[in-house]
Amino acid sequence: MRRRSLRIFIGLVLVGLSAGPAAAQLPNLYGPPISGDNAKKIAAAALAETRKNGWTMAVAVVDPAGELVYFEKVEGTQAASNTIAIEKARTAVRFKRPTKAMQDQLAAGGEGWRLLGLREAVPVEGGLPLLIDGKIVGAIGLSGGTSAQDGVSAAAGAAALK
């Protein structure tokens, strides 16, 4: 399986290198930045989930560049969660994947340990890319509970975008 994945990766790299200017024609996975109104709506849905469960969390919504669009926290949330929520959202948007996927890769060990060498990557559940019409318009990140609780709340927020 790993050998096959390596062959596919090498093939893709060779195709990309031989494409030259054609590589610029690949579809852009990023869309226009999420609006402030949508960011507030998403954060409200995520925080409603946290309050329903009695969790205290911070929520951050970022645009496709990872810049903060909206931030809010529940009273009593630990101070470190402010930064962690923002960094989870930035990780999800910049790496174009849920932070849970990175957490699972790291937990698997082996090659997954390489994630520890990535700058500004937070491989902990709670960050999700936000999509509109198949394009990434931003991301949501939550922190303050367990990783699974952060993930549940992030999913509740992301679902509000639909």
Side-chain angles (χ1 to χ4, degrees), residues 44-148:
L47 290 177
E49 182 69 21
T50 69
R51 288 182 178 103
K52 178 180 91 177
N53 290 293
W55 304 328
T56 55
M57 294 189 187
V59 60
V61 178
V62 299
D63 68 13
E67 296 301 322
L68 190 62
V69 175
Y70 187 82
F71 176 85
E72 189 175 343
K73 69 177 181 172
V74 173
E75 188 174 333
T77 301
Q78 63 185 0
S81 291
N82 297 355
T83 302
I84 296 168
I86 295 167
E87 291 305 316
K88 283 183 182 183
R90 285 182 173 154
T91 298
V93 78
R94 291 177 176 163
F95 289 91
K96 302 181 197 175
R97 68 197 64 182
T99 55
K100 170 87 163 88
M102 298 176 90
Q103 175 181 297
D104 292 345
Q105 189 178 359
L106 182 60
E111 292 180 6
W113 286 94
R114 293 181 296 175
L115 287 173
L116 295 175
L118 297 178
R119 290 186 50 194
E120 300 182 18
V122 179
V124 181
E125 186 174 3
L128 291 173
L130 298 169
L131 299 144
I132 294 178
D133 298 327
K135 302 273 188 172
I136 300 171
V137 298
I140 184 171
L142 278 100
S143 179
T146 65
S147 294

Side-chain angles (χ1 to χ4, degrees), residues 2-29:
R2 288 184 185 173
R3 186 171 281 170
R4 182 173 183 260
S5 296
L6 180 60
R7 278 188 242 159
I8 291 170
F9 174 74
I10 290 171
L12 290 172
V13 168
L14 291 175
V15 168
L17 290 174
S18 66
Q25 296 173 7
L26 294 174
N28 183 0
L29 295 178

